[in-house]
Amino acid sequence: MTDHSPKPRINGERLLADLSRLARIGATAAGGVSRPAYGDLDITARTAVREMMRAAGLTIRVDTAGNTFGRRAGRGSDGPPIVIGSHTDTVPDGGRFDGALGVMAALEVARTIAEREVPMRHPLEVVDFQNEEGGLIGSKIVAGLFTDDALKLVTPSGRTIGNGIELLGGDPARLDEARLVPGSIAGYLELHIEQGRVLERAGADIGVVEGLVGIRYWEVTFDGIASHAGTTPMADRHDALLAAGRFVDAVHATVTSIPGRQVGTVGRLRVFPGGANVIPGKVVLTLELRDLDPAVIDALFARIEPEGRRIANATGTKVTFEATLANAPSPTDGRVRDAVAHAARDLGLRPHAMVSGAGHDAQNMAGIGPSGMLFVPSVNGISHSPAELTEDHDIVNGANALLGAVLRMDATL
């Protein structure tokens, strides 16, 4: 028999009000939000989220990593939960929606299910992961991918990760207790703003994320000879910045030389000694490569590294490459993708399959249970900026799609 009963819908006005309330914590003069992880404003925001969870009737748990979980029991209250959420920390002077939308929409979904008395087989948990912007720290601990030596790293808040975990109510000496073993969740789903223009250009409403790209970083150093800028002839120079400049261009040329969605970036250069009248003797820069296929990243680096050595030889410098970070690609679960696409179509919305070029907590949760993401459009693709904007109707559409997908996951997982 076909079910023709009205499908539940979230309270859009309440969700938008929640987002506005959260955005006031850390609001900047430029119209953005600054809540760097472990700073006083991050702690204030997380405390507010916990209060909102309690007011919604959720049972609060803060794990030893400092992550916040709000739980609503299901019919099988002891079974593995469906987990939904994101994070509430921000980059400095970031936007109002990055991360926050996922947490507030998840909270609204939990409220709606409770108010409508929608029966669920699985418990439902709303999560606010800590320090997503600093390297997915909270979800890495949960997934068993964090190493204790990183506890001493100083974050933009001025506090170490270990100090921050304590301030959030966790215990850095007991991080193993926060780990979730594979199979301990029924599924994970995260709503997020796209942070790009794929949906906007496609005229689509909901992004069905096929996977999250792998990310690899290298620190690349060009060593030349610092010398007087006025007395050293051009032919006698060993200019590290000249080599670095050619390398930046070579990275762009290599990455764009083949079709695909791969990207490559040189995001930071440090020039030594840094004098206006001194030929640069050393440049340290970052190389970042991203793609859903690790073989593509390997192939790009296999072309970039020898090109760097060729440039160093031509400029009379030396180059070294040091691998500093590697996040494996994370395909999403087909059942979760189907739930998102089905929910979007039920709402009369147009779903669009796409890849996430940014890292998200979902990639760590994929090792614990079936995981996925859904995106909503970002106006002009702008994010990590006070100009970050997602229209109200897209916010409400995304939250309703999240609700529909959760209920379908509850029935199928």
Side-chain angles (χ1 to χ4, degrees), residues 358-371:
H360 296 284
D361 293 308
Q363 66 196 69
N364 293 327
M365 297 299 286
I368 304 170
S371 296

Side-chain angles (χ1 to χ4, degrees), residues 25-343:
I25 303 173
T28 69
V33 179
S34 279
R35 292 194 300 263
Y38 314 133
D40 291 345
L41 293 170
D42 177 44
I43 296 168
T44 298
R46 291 179 188 279
T47 300
V49 170
R50 292 169 190 174
E51 291 172 354
M52 294 164 78
M53 287 180 176
R54 288 190 185 94
L58 303 180
T59 302
I60 306 300
R61 172 174 65 90
V62 179
D63 68 10
T64 57
N67 300 310
T68 300
F69 292 83
R71 184 181 178 99
R72 179 181 184 272
R75 290 201 305 267
S77 58
D78 293 330
I82 292 174
V83 183
I84 54 177
S86 191
H87 64 97
T88 51
D89 61 294
T90 75
V91 297
D93 212 11
R96 298 189 298 126
F97 305 101
D98 177 2
L101 172 59
V103 177
M104 292 296 95
L107 176 60
E108 179 57 31
V109 165
R111 281 198 197 110
T112 301
I113 288 172
E115 291 170 352
R116 295 293 191 91
E117 298 182 341
V118 180
M120 287 186 63
R121 295 189 305 125
H122 298 89
L124 180 67
E125 289 192 345
V126 175
V127 63
D128 183 3
F129 283 117
Q130 59 99 340
N131 197 0
E132 191 269 358
E133 297 292 0
L136 313 178
I137 301 302
S139 59
K140 275 187 175 177
I141 296 172
V142 165
L145 302 174
F146 182 82
T147 54
D148 287 350
D149 55 351
L151 289 170
K152 297 180 180 179
L153 293 177
V154 178
T155 67
S157 70
R159 293 164 173 155
T160 66
I161 291 177
N163 293 152
I165 289 173
E166 289 180 326
L167 290 169
L168 294 178
D171 185 347
R174 298 163 50 215
L175 293 184
D176 283 349
E177 296 176 28
R179 184 172 181 178
L180 298 177
V181 299
S184 59
I185 65 171
Y188 175 81
L189 183 57
E190 182 172 353
L191 169 62
H192 208 280
I193 59 171
E194 181 196 338
Q195 303 179 283
R197 299 191 69 182
V198 172
L199 293 175
E200 196 173 70
R201 288 187 170 125
D205 304 296
I206 299 293
V208 183
V209 179
E210 297 175 307
L212 295 93
V213 297
I215 307 173
R216 292 184 63 188
Y217 279 90
W218 291 263
E219 187 172 85
V220 183
T221 302
F222 284 93
D223 283 300
I225 298 175
S227 187
H228 196 291
T231 61
T232 307
M234 300 302 287
D236 293 340
R237 299 185 177 208
H238 302 265
D239 189 334
L241 185 55
L242 173 64
R246 292 181 179 177
F247 180 78
V248 172
D249 186 58
V251 169
H252 182 269
T254 301
V255 173
T256 58
S257 67
I258 57 176
R261 293 177 287 198
Q262 69 279 348
V263 294
T265 306
V266 174
R268 184 180 68 229
L269 292 94
R270 290 178 288 158
V271 181
F272 302 94
N277 61 349
V278 183
I279 299 163
K282 180 178 181 178
V283 173
V284 181
L285 59 86
T286 56
L287 167 65
E288 178 198 90
L289 299 174
R290 301 187 184 210
D291 194 77
L292 189 59
D293 185 349
V296 171
I297 297 177
D298 290 340
L300 289 172
F301 185 70
R303 293 175 58 186
I304 290 171
E305 183 180 26
E307 184 64 12
R309 301 195 185 285
R310 185 197 66 77
I311 291 169
N313 184 62
T315 55
T317 61
K318 296 180 181 179
V319 65
T320 56
F321 292 81
E322 180 185 357
T324 57
L325 180 144
N327 285 340
S330 176
T332 55
D333 188 275
R335 294 166 293 176
V336 179
R337 292 197 300 270
D338 288 346
V340 172
H342 188 277

Side-chain angles (χ1 to χ4, degrees), residues 10-13 15-16 391-401:
I10 63 99
N11 184 326
E13 290 185 4
L15 171 57
L16 295 172
E391 301 286 3
D392 288 355
H393 68 273
D394 286 319
I395 289 171
V396 174
N397 284 342
N400 275 320

